[in-house]
PDB file of all heavy atoms in Angstrom:
ATOM      1  N   LEU A  87     -17.579  29.974  13.910  1.00 85.00           N
ATOM      2  CA  LEU A  87     -17.293  29.976  15.331  1.00 85.00           C
ATOM      3  C   LEU A  87     -16.231  31.081  15.679  1.00 85.00           C
ATOM      4  O   LEU A  87     -15.275  31.282  14.866  1.00 85.00           O
ATOM      5  CB  LEU A  87     -16.732  28.608  15.721  1.00 85.00           C
ATOM      6  CG  LEU A  87     -16.367  28.428  17.205  1.00 85.00           C
ATOM      7  CD1 LEU A  87     -17.575  28.649  18.207  1.00 85.00           C
ATOM      8  CD2 LEU A  87     -15.905  26.982  17.388  1.00 85.00           C
ATOM      9  N   LYS A  88     -16.447  31.780  16.738  1.00 80.00           N
ATOM     10  CA  LYS A  88     -15.546  32.776  17.238  1.00 80.00           C
ATOM     11  C   LYS A  88     -15.365  33.850  16.212  1.00 80.00           C
ATOM     12  O   LYS A  88     -14.239  34.307  15.968  1.00 80.00           O
ATOM     13  CB  LYS A  88     -14.168  32.172  17.573  1.00 80.00           C
ATOM     14  CG  LYS A  88     -13.361  33.026  18.608  1.00 80.00           C
ATOM     15  CD  LYS A  88     -12.060  32.344  18.979  1.00 80.00           C
ATOM     16  CE  LYS A  88     -11.236  33.182  19.944  1.00 80.00           C
ATOM     17  NZ  LYS A  88      -9.980  32.558  20.233  1.00 80.00           N
ATOM     18  N   GLY A  89     -16.380  34.187  15.563  1.00 80.00           N
ATOM     19  CA  GLY A  89     -16.355  35.328  14.579  1.00 80.00           C
ATOM     20  C   GLY A  89     -15.576  34.996  13.332  1.00 80.00           C
ATOM     21  O   GLY A  89     -15.089  35.851  12.700  1.00 80.00           O
ATOM     22  N   HIS A  91     -12.799  33.234  13.412  1.00 85.00           N
ATOM     23  CA  HIS A  91     -11.408  33.083  13.768  1.00 85.00           C
ATOM     24  C   HIS A  91     -11.051  31.674  14.138  1.00 85.00           C
ATOM     25  O   HIS A  91      -9.791  31.431  14.421  1.00 85.00           O
ATOM     26  CB  HIS A  91     -10.958  34.115  14.814  1.00 85.00           C
ATOM     27  CG  HIS A  91     -11.050  35.508  14.422  1.00 85.00           C
ATOM     28  ND1 HIS A  91     -10.249  36.111  13.468  1.00 85.00           N
ATOM     29  CD2 HIS A  91     -11.906  36.519  14.741  1.00 85.00           C
ATOM     30  CE1 HIS A  91     -10.518  37.369  13.248  1.00 85.00           C
ATOM     31  NE2 HIS A  91     -11.580  37.599  14.035  1.00 85.00           N
ATOM     32  N   TRP A  92     -11.969  30.795  14.246  1.00 91.00           N
ATOM     33  CA  TRP A  92     -11.729  29.381  14.526  1.00 91.00           C
ATOM     34  C   TRP A  92     -11.665  28.697  13.231  1.00 91.00           C
ATOM     35  O   TRP A  92     -12.611  28.352  12.523  1.00 91.00           O
ATOM     36  CB  TRP A  92     -12.871  28.843  15.437  1.00 91.00           C
ATOM     37  CG  TRP A  92     -12.715  27.381  15.766  1.00 91.00           C
ATOM     38  CD1 TRP A  92     -13.320  26.311  15.140  1.00 91.00           C
ATOM     39  CD2 TRP A  92     -12.018  26.844  16.874  1.00 91.00           C
ATOM     40  NE1 TRP A  92     -13.047  25.177  15.779  1.00 91.00           N
ATOM     41  CE2 TRP A  92     -12.198  25.433  16.878  1.00 91.00           C
ATOM     42  CE3 TRP A  92     -11.126  27.332  17.846  1.00 91.00           C
ATOM     43  CZ2 TRP A  92     -11.668  24.539  17.703  1.00 91.00           C
ATOM     44  CZ3 TRP A  92     -10.593  26.511  18.797  1.00 91.00           C
ATOM     45  CH2 TRP A  92     -10.845  25.137  18.680  1.00 91.00           C
ATOM     46  N   ALA A 114      -6.003  25.762  15.463  1.00 87.00           N
ATOM     47  CA  ALA A 114      -7.229  26.444  14.994  1.00 87.00           C
ATOM     48  C   ALA A 114      -7.356  27.820  15.773  1.00 87.00           C
ATOM     49  O   ALA A 114      -8.047  28.718  15.200  1.00 87.00           O
ATOM     50  CB  ALA A 114      -8.464  25.641  15.156  1.00 87.00           C
ATOM     51  N   TYR A 115      -6.792  28.043  16.943  1.00 83.00           N
ATOM     52  CA  TYR A 115      -6.911  29.272  17.733  1.00 83.00           C
ATOM     53  C   TYR A 115      -5.493  29.824  17.890  1.00 83.00           C
ATOM     54  O   TYR A 115      -4.446  29.108  17.671  1.00 83.00           O
ATOM     55  CB  TYR A 115      -7.574  29.029  19.066  1.00 83.00           C
ATOM     56  CG  TYR A 115      -6.924  27.968  19.898  1.00 83.00           C
ATOM     57  CD1 TYR A 115      -6.128  28.379  20.985  1.00 83.00           C
ATOM     58  CD2 TYR A 115      -7.074  26.582  19.621  1.00 83.00           C
ATOM     59  CE1 TYR A 115      -5.513  27.409  21.781  1.00 83.00           C
ATOM     60  CE2 TYR A 115      -6.415  25.649  20.429  1.00 83.00           C
ATOM     61  CZ  TYR A 115      -5.695  26.015  21.471  1.00 83.00           C
ATOM     62  OH  TYR A 115      -5.011  25.117  22.243  1.00 83.00           O
ATOM     63  N   SER A 202     -15.317  22.308  30.271  1.00 96.00           N
ATOM     64  CA  SER A 202     -14.100  23.106  30.207  1.00 96.00           C
ATOM     65  C   SER A 202     -14.423  24.572  29.775  1.00 96.00           C
ATOM     66  O   SER A 202     -15.168  24.728  28.832  1.00 96.00           O
ATOM     67  CB  SER A 202     -13.046  22.556  29.387  1.00 96.00           C
ATOM     68  OG  SER A 202     -11.876  23.343  29.432  1.00 96.00           O
ATOM     69  N   GLN A 203     -13.715  25.563  30.319  1.00 96.00           N
ATOM     70  CA  GLN A 203     -13.714  26.910  29.940  1.00 96.00           C
ATOM     71  C   GLN A 203     -15.137  27.622  30.176  1.00 96.00           C
ATOM     72  O   GLN A 203     -15.671  28.221  29.263  1.00 96.00           O
ATOM     73  CB  GLN A 203     -13.238  27.117  28.469  1.00 96.00           C
ATOM     74  CG  GLN A 203     -11.986  26.439  28.167  1.00 96.00           C
ATOM     75  CD  GLN A 203     -10.789  27.014  28.966  1.00 96.00           C
ATOM     76  OE1 GLN A 203     -10.870  28.053  29.531  1.00 96.00           O
ATOM     77  NE2 GLN A 203      -9.661  26.207  28.987  1.00 96.00           N
ATOM     78  N   PHE A 206     -16.671  31.159  29.440  1.00 95.00           N
ATOM     79  CA  PHE A 206     -17.256  31.544  28.172  1.00 95.00           C
ATOM     80  C   PHE A 206     -18.750  31.088  28.079  1.00 95.00           C
ATOM     81  O   PHE A 206     -19.394  31.245  27.076  1.00 95.00           O
ATOM     82  CB  PHE A 206     -16.537  30.910  27.011  1.00 95.00           C
ATOM     83  CG  PHE A 206     -15.097  31.410  26.794  1.00 95.00           C
ATOM     84  CD1 PHE A 206     -14.053  30.482  26.826  1.00 95.00           C
ATOM     85  CD2 PHE A 206     -14.885  32.733  26.637  1.00 95.00           C
ATOM     86  CE1 PHE A 206     -12.736  30.956  26.715  1.00 95.00           C
ATOM     87  CE2 PHE A 206     -13.560  33.222  26.461  1.00 95.00           C
ATOM     88  CZ  PHE A 206     -12.497  32.294  26.507  1.00 95.00           C
ATOM     89  N   GLY A 207     -19.183  30.502  29.244  1.00 95.00           N
ATOM     90  CA  GLY A 207     -20.590  29.960  29.213  1.00 95.00           C
ATOM     91  C   GLY A 207     -20.537  28.475  28.811  1.00 95.00           C
ATOM     92  O   GLY A 207     -19.669  28.051  28.095  1.00 95.00           O
ATOM     93  N   TRP A 208     -21.528  27.677  29.286  1.00 95.00           N
ATOM     94  CA  TRP A 208     -21.567  26.272  29.068  1.00 95.00           C
ATOM     95  C   TRP A 208     -22.759  26.038  28.020  1.00 95.00           C
ATOM     96  O   TRP A 208     -23.851  25.904  28.474  1.00 95.00           O
ATOM     97  CB  TRP A 208     -21.672  25.451  30.232  1.00 95.00           C
ATOM     98  CG  TRP A 208     -21.659  23.981  29.968  1.00 95.00           C
ATOM     99  CD1 TRP A 208     -22.623  23.057  30.139  1.00 95.00           C
ATOM    100  CD2 TRP A 208     -20.534  23.296  29.376  1.00 95.00           C
ATOM    101  NE1 TRP A 208     -22.154  21.782  29.703  1.00 95.00           N
ATOM    102  CE2 TRP A 208     -20.917  21.950  29.228  1.00 95.00           C
ATOM    103  CE3 TRP A 208     -19.232  23.607  28.986  1.00 95.00           C
ATOM    104  CZ2 TRP A 208     -20.081  20.992  28.627  1.00 95.00           C
ATOM    105  CZ3 TRP A 208     -18.479  22.712  28.352  1.00 95.00           C
ATOM    106  CH2 TRP A 208     -18.838  21.363  28.244  1.00 95.00           C
ATOM    107  N   GLY A 209     -22.412  26.076  26.770  1.00 90.00           N
ATOM    108  CA  GLY A 209     -23.423  25.922  25.745  1.00 90.00           C
ATOM    109  C   GLY A 209     -22.840  26.232  24.396  1.00 90.00           C
ATOM    110  O   GLY A 209     -21.643  26.582  24.233  1.00 90.00           O
ATOM    111  N   PRO A 210     -23.653  26.229  23.407  1.00 89.00           N
ATOM    112  CA  PRO A 210     -23.197  26.513  22.030  1.00 89.00           C
ATOM    113  C   PRO A 210     -22.789  27.916  21.757  1.00 89.00           C
ATOM    114  O   PRO A 210     -22.089  28.159  20.780  1.00 89.00           O
ATOM    115  CB  PRO A 210     -24.366  26.056  21.118  1.00 89.00           C
ATOM    116  CG  PRO A 210     -25.574  26.279  22.007  1.00 89.00           C
ATOM    117  CD  PRO A 210     -25.099  25.966  23.343  1.00 89.00           C
ATOM    118  N   ASP A 211     -23.215  28.868  22.537  1.00 86.00           N
ATOM    119  CA  ASP A 211     -22.918  30.247  22.364  1.00 86.00           C
ATOM    120  C   ASP A 211     -21.892  30.768  23.402  1.00 86.00           C
ATOM    121  O   ASP A 211     -21.878  30.297  24.549  1.00 86.00           O
ATOM    122  CB  ASP A 211     -24.171  31.126  22.467  1.00 86.00           C
ATOM    123  CG  ASP A 211     -25.195  30.741  21.418  1.00 86.00           C
ATOM    124  OD1 ASP A 211     -24.822  30.581  20.260  1.00 86.00           O
ATOM    125  OD2 ASP A 211     -26.329  30.618  21.789  1.00 86.00           O
ATOM    126  N   ILE A 212     -21.036  31.722  22.984  1.00 87.00           N
ATOM    127  CA  ILE A 212     -20.025  32.275  23.935  1.00 87.00           C
ATOM    128  C   ILE A 212     -20.677  33.410  24.627  1.00 87.00           C
ATOM    129  O   ILE A 212     -21.078  34.432  24.063  1.00 87.00           O
ATOM    130  CB  ILE A 212     -18.825  32.722  23.098  1.00 87.00           C
ATOM    131  CG1 ILE A 212     -18.146  31.543  22.423  1.00 87.00           C
ATOM    132  CG2 ILE A 212     -17.839  33.417  24.036  1.00 87.00           C
ATOM    133  CD1 ILE A 212     -16.982  31.897  21.555  1.00 87.00           C
ATOM    134  N   LYS A 249     -11.773  42.322  28.715  1.00 96.00           N
ATOM    135  CA  LYS A 249     -10.833  41.265  29.018  1.00 96.00           C
ATOM    136  C   LYS A 249      -9.596  41.834  29.781  1.00 96.00           C
ATOM    137  O   LYS A 249      -9.142  42.939  29.591  1.00 96.00           O
ATOM    138  CB  LYS A 249     -10.276  40.627  27.683  1.00 96.00           C
ATOM    139  CG  LYS A 249     -11.196  39.610  27.090  1.00 96.00           C
ATOM    140  CD  LYS A 249     -10.533  38.794  26.060  1.00 96.00           C
ATOM    141  CE  LYS A 249     -11.345  37.610  25.587  1.00 96.00           C
ATOM    142  NZ  LYS A 249     -10.586  36.721  24.658  1.00 96.00           N
ATOM    143  N   ALA A 389      -6.964  18.220  23.623  1.00 92.00           N
ATOM    144  CA  ALA A 389      -7.534  18.155  22.239  1.00 92.00           C
ATOM    145  C   ALA A 389      -8.463  19.394  22.056  1.00 92.00           C
ATOM    146  O   ALA A 389      -9.683  19.233  22.292  1.00 92.00           O
ATOM    147  CB  ALA A 389      -8.346  16.878  22.042  1.00 92.00           C
ATOM    148  N   CYS A 390      -7.916  20.479  21.699  1.00 84.00           N
ATOM    149  CA  CYS A 390      -8.691  21.640  21.471  1.00 84.00           C
ATOM    150  C   CYS A 390      -8.629  22.000  20.029  1.00 84.00           C
ATOM    151  O   CYS A 390      -7.854  22.815  19.566  1.00 84.00           O
ATOM    152  CB  CYS A 390      -8.312  22.827  22.341  1.00 84.00           C
ATOM    153  SG  CYS A 390      -9.361  24.221  22.298  1.00 84.00           S
ATOM    154  N   GLY A 391      -9.431  21.291  19.221  1.00 91.00           N
ATOM    155  CA  GLY A 391      -9.497  21.526  17.803  1.00 91.00           C
ATOM    156  C   GLY A 391     -10.839  20.998  17.209  1.00 91.00           C
ATOM    157  O   GLY A 391     -11.872  21.128  17.893  1.00 91.00           O
ATOM    158  N   SER A 392     -10.807  20.477  16.023  1.00 96.00           N
ATOM    159  CA  SER A 392     -12.044  19.921  15.444  1.00 96.00           C
ATOM    160  C   SER A 392     -12.349  18.601  16.074  1.00 96.00           C
ATOM    161  O   SER A 392     -11.486  17.996  16.886  1.00 96.00           O
ATOM    162  CB  SER A 392     -11.887  19.698  13.941  1.00 96.00           C
ATOM    163  OG  SER A 392     -11.119  18.521  13.646  1.00 96.00           O
ATOM    164  N   PRO A 393     -13.478  17.919  15.747  1.00 97.00           N
ATOM    165  CA  PRO A 393     -13.724  16.579  16.301  1.00 97.00           C
ATOM    166  C   PRO A 393     -12.698  15.516  15.853  1.00 97.00           C
ATOM    167  O   PRO A 393     -12.682  14.366  16.441  1.00 97.00           O
ATOM    168  CB  PRO A 393     -15.102  16.248  15.759  1.00 97.00           C
ATOM    169  CG  PRO A 393     -15.738  17.553  15.570  1.00 97.00           C
ATOM    170  CD  PRO A 393     -14.622  18.491  15.118  1.00 97.00           C
ATOM    171  N   THR A 396     -10.368  15.345  18.910  1.00 97.00           N
ATOM    172  CA  THR A 396     -11.049  14.677  19.929  1.00 97.00           C
ATOM    173  C   THR A 396     -11.070  13.155  19.862  1.00 97.00           C
ATOM    174  O   THR A 396     -10.720  12.434  20.798  1.00 97.00           O
ATOM    175  CB  THR A 396     -12.510  15.164  20.023  1.00 97.00           C
ATOM    176  OG1 THR A 396     -12.500  16.555  20.346  1.00 97.00           O
ATOM    177  CG2 THR A 396     -13.295  14.432  21.174  1.00 97.00           C
ATOM    178  N   HIS A 414     -13.435  18.427  27.876  1.00 96.00           N
ATOM    179  CA  HIS A 414     -14.537  18.650  26.933  1.00 96.00           C
ATOM    180  C   HIS A 414     -14.773  20.171  26.840  1.00 96.00           C
ATOM    181  O   HIS A 414     -15.387  20.773  27.723  1.00 96.00           O
ATOM    182  CB  HIS A 414     -15.836  17.936  27.335  1.00 96.00           C
ATOM    183  CG  HIS A 414     -16.799  17.889  26.230  1.00 96.00           C
ATOM    184  ND1 HIS A 414     -16.548  17.322  24.924  1.00 96.00           N
ATOM    185  CD2 HIS A 414     -18.169  18.186  26.135  1.00 96.00           C
ATOM    186  CE1 HIS A 414     -17.632  17.386  24.153  1.00 96.00           C
ATOM    187  NE2 HIS A 414     -18.545  17.946  24.909  1.00 96.00           N
ATOM    188  N   HIS A 415     -14.144  20.777  25.776  1.00 92.00           N
ATOM    189  CA  HIS A 415     -14.130  22.206  25.595  1.00 92.00           C
ATOM    190  C   HIS A 415     -15.519  22.699  25.225  1.00 92.00           C
ATOM    191  O   HIS A 415     -16.196  22.101  24.486  1.00 92.00           O
ATOM    192  CB  HIS A 415     -13.069  22.510  24.585  1.00 92.00           C
ATOM    193  CG  HIS A 415     -12.626  23.976  24.577  1.00 92.00           C
ATOM    194  ND1 HIS A 415     -13.399  25.003  24.143  1.00 92.00           N
ATOM    195  CD2 HIS A 415     -11.470  24.543  25.025  1.00 92.00           C
ATOM    196  CE1 HIS A 415     -12.795  26.140  24.241  1.00 92.00           C
ATOM    197  NE2 HIS A 415     -11.609  25.907  24.779  1.00 92.00           N
ATOM    198  N   THR A 416     -15.833  23.904  25.651  1.00 91.00           N
ATOM    199  CA  THR A 416     -17.073  24.486  25.345  1.00 91.00           C
ATOM    200  C   THR A 416     -17.281  24.647  23.801  1.00 91.00           C
ATOM    201  O   THR A 416     -18.382  24.526  23.273  1.00 91.00           O
ATOM    202  CB  THR A 416     -17.300  25.908  26.055  1.00 91.00           C
ATOM    203  OG1 THR A 416     -18.619  26.363  25.740  1.00 91.00           O
ATOM    204  CG2 THR A 416     -16.271  26.845  25.586  1.00 91.00           C
ATOM    205  N   TYR A 417     -16.173  24.803  23.100  1.00 90.00           N
ATOM    206  CA  TYR A 417     -16.246  24.827  21.610  1.00 90.00           C
ATOM    207  C   TYR A 417     -16.811  23.521  21.045  1.00 90.00           C
ATOM    208  O   TYR A 417     -17.286  23.606  19.867  1.00 90.00           O
ATOM    209  CB  TYR A 417     -14.875  25.146  21.010  1.00 90.00           C
ATOM    210  CG  TYR A 417     -14.500  26.628  21.154  1.00 90.00           C
ATOM    211  CD1 TYR A 417     -15.180  27.528  21.919  1.00 90.00           C
ATOM    212  CD2 TYR A 417     -13.336  27.132  20.483  1.00 90.00           C
ATOM    213  CE1 TYR A 417     -14.816  28.870  22.139  1.00 90.00           C
ATOM    214  CE2 TYR A 417     -12.946  28.404  20.675  1.00 90.00           C
ATOM    215  CZ  TYR A 417     -13.603  29.333  21.491  1.00 90.00           C
ATOM    216  OH  TYR A 417     -13.271  30.584  21.572  1.00 90.00           O
ATOM    217  N   ALA A 418     -16.587  22.434  21.702  1.00 92.00           N
ATOM    218  CA  ALA A 418     -17.028  21.130  21.147  1.00 92.00           C
ATOM    219  C   ALA A 418     -18.579  21.102  21.199  1.00 92.00           C
ATOM    220  O   ALA A 418     -19.187  20.215  20.584  1.00 92.00           O
ATOM    221  CB  ALA A 418     -16.574  20.018  22.050  1.00 92.00           C
ATOM    222  N   LEU A 419     -19.224  22.052  21.857  1.00 93.00           N
ATOM    223  CA  LEU A 419     -20.698  22.151  21.787  1.00 93.00           C
ATOM    224  C   LEU A 419     -21.297  23.020  20.620  1.00 93.00           C
ATOM    225  O   LEU A 419     -22.442  22.973  20.359  1.00 93.00           O
ATOM    226  CB  LEU A 419     -21.197  22.742  23.186  1.00 93.00           C
ATOM    227  CG  LEU A 419     -20.707  22.087  24.445  1.00 93.00           C
ATOM    228  CD1 LEU A 419     -21.275  22.828  25.601  1.00 93.00           C
ATOM    229  CD2 LEU A 419     -21.161  20.658  24.526  1.00 93.00           C
ATOM    230  N   SER A 420     -20.367  23.646  19.956  1.00 93.00           N
ATOM    231  CA  SER A 420     -20.839  24.591  18.894  1.00 93.00           C
ATOM    232  C   SER A 420     -21.175  23.794  17.608  1.00 93.00           C
ATOM    233  O   SER A 420     -20.384  22.915  17.143  1.00 93.00           O
ATOM    234  CB  SER A 420     -19.680  25.588  18.525  1.00 93.00           C
ATOM    235  OG  SER A 420     -19.983  26.254  17.365  1.00 93.00           O
ATOM    236  N   PRO A 421     -22.289  24.108  17.074  1.00 94.00           N
ATOM    237  CA  PRO A 421     -22.727  23.426  15.771  1.00 94.00           C
ATOM    238  C   PRO A 421     -21.660  23.708  14.695  1.00 94.00           C
ATOM    239  O   PRO A 421     -21.525  22.940  13.744  1.00 94.00           O
ATOM    240  CB  PRO A 421     -24.074  24.020  15.519  1.00 94.00           C
ATOM    241  CG  PRO A 421     -24.167  25.224  16.284  1.00 94.00           C
ATOM    242  CD  PRO A 421     -23.384  25.034  17.536  1.00 94.00           C
ATOM    243  N   TYR A 422     -21.016  24.879  14.800  1.00 94.00           N
ATOM    244  CA  TYR A 422     -19.992  25.210  13.756  1.00 94.00           C
ATOM    245  C   TYR A 422     -18.768  24.315  13.804  1.00 94.00           C
ATOM    246  O   TYR A 422     -18.031  24.215  12.812  1.00 94.00           O
ATOM    247  CB  TYR A 422     -19.664  26.685  13.853  1.00 94.00           C
ATOM    248  CG  TYR A 422     -20.820  27.579  13.671  1.00 94.00           C
ATOM    249  CD1 TYR A 422     -21.177  28.473  14.663  1.00 94.00           C
ATOM    250  CD2 TYR A 422     -21.587  27.558  12.475  1.00 94.00           C
ATOM    251  CE1 TYR A 422     -22.216  29.394  14.538  1.00 94.00           C
ATOM    252  CE2 TYR A 422     -22.691  28.388  12.281  1.00 94.00           C
ATOM    253  CZ  TYR A 422     -23.081  29.315  13.370  1.00 94.00           C
ATOM    254  OH  TYR A 422     -24.068  30.073  13.217  1.00 94.00           O
ATOM    255  N   ASN A 423     -18.553  23.776  14.955  1.00 95.00           N
ATOM    256  CA  ASN A 423     -17.433  22.784  15.092  1.00 95.00           C
ATOM    257  C   ASN A 423     -17.938  21.409  14.792  1.00 95.00           C
ATOM    258  O   ASN A 423     -17.257  20.635  14.135  1.00 95.00           O
ATOM    259  CB  ASN A 423     -16.834  22.865  16.525  1.00 95.00           C
ATOM    260  CG  ASN A 423     -15.334  22.533  16.565  1.00 95.00           C
ATOM    261  OD1 ASN A 423     -14.601  22.823  15.609  1.00 95.00           O
ATOM    262  ND2 ASN A 423     -14.895  21.806  17.554  1.00 95.00           N
ATOM    263  N   ILE A 424     -19.103  21.033  15.312  1.00 96.00           N
ATOM    264  CA  ILE A 424     -19.714  19.760  15.221  1.00 96.00           C
ATOM    265  C   ILE A 424     -19.877  19.362  13.707  1.00 96.00           C
ATOM    266  O   ILE A 424     -19.592  18.270  13.237  1.00 96.00           O
ATOM    267  CB  ILE A 424     -20.977  19.614  15.951  1.00 96.00           C
ATOM    268  CG1 ILE A 424     -20.774  19.641  17.461  1.00 96.00           C
ATOM    269  CG2 ILE A 424     -21.767  18.312  15.560  1.00 96.00           C
ATOM    270  CD1 ILE A 424     -22.054  19.900  18.316  1.00 96.00           C
ATOM    271  N   GLN A 432     -20.406  13.081  22.040  1.00 96.00           N
ATOM    272  CA  GLN A 432     -20.465  13.965  23.177  1.00 96.00           C
ATOM    273  C   GLN A 432     -20.607  13.110  24.449  1.00 96.00           C
ATOM    274  O   GLN A 432     -21.049  11.948  24.475  1.00 96.00           O
ATOM    275  CB  GLN A 432     -21.783  14.731  23.130  1.00 96.00           C
ATOM    276  CG  GLN A 432     -21.835  15.731  21.904  1.00 96.00           C
ATOM    277  CD  GLN A 432     -20.950  16.936  22.082  1.00 96.00           C
ATOM    278  OE1 GLN A 432     -20.540  17.339  23.154  1.00 96.00           O
ATOM    279  NE2 GLN A 432     -20.628  17.627  20.956  1.00 96.00           N
TER     280      GLN A 432
END
Side-chain angles (χ1 to χ4, degrees):
L87 179 59
K88 202 178 178 183
H91 294 291
W92 178 264
Y115 57 103
S202 180
Q203 308 299 342
F206 296 122
W208 185 242
D211 300 315
I212 297 175
K249 278 195 170 184
C390 190
S392 82
T396 297
H414 194 53
H415 198 285
T416 184
Y417 284 9
L419 305 177
S420 169
Y422 300 122
N423 209 38
I424 293 169
Q432 298 284 341

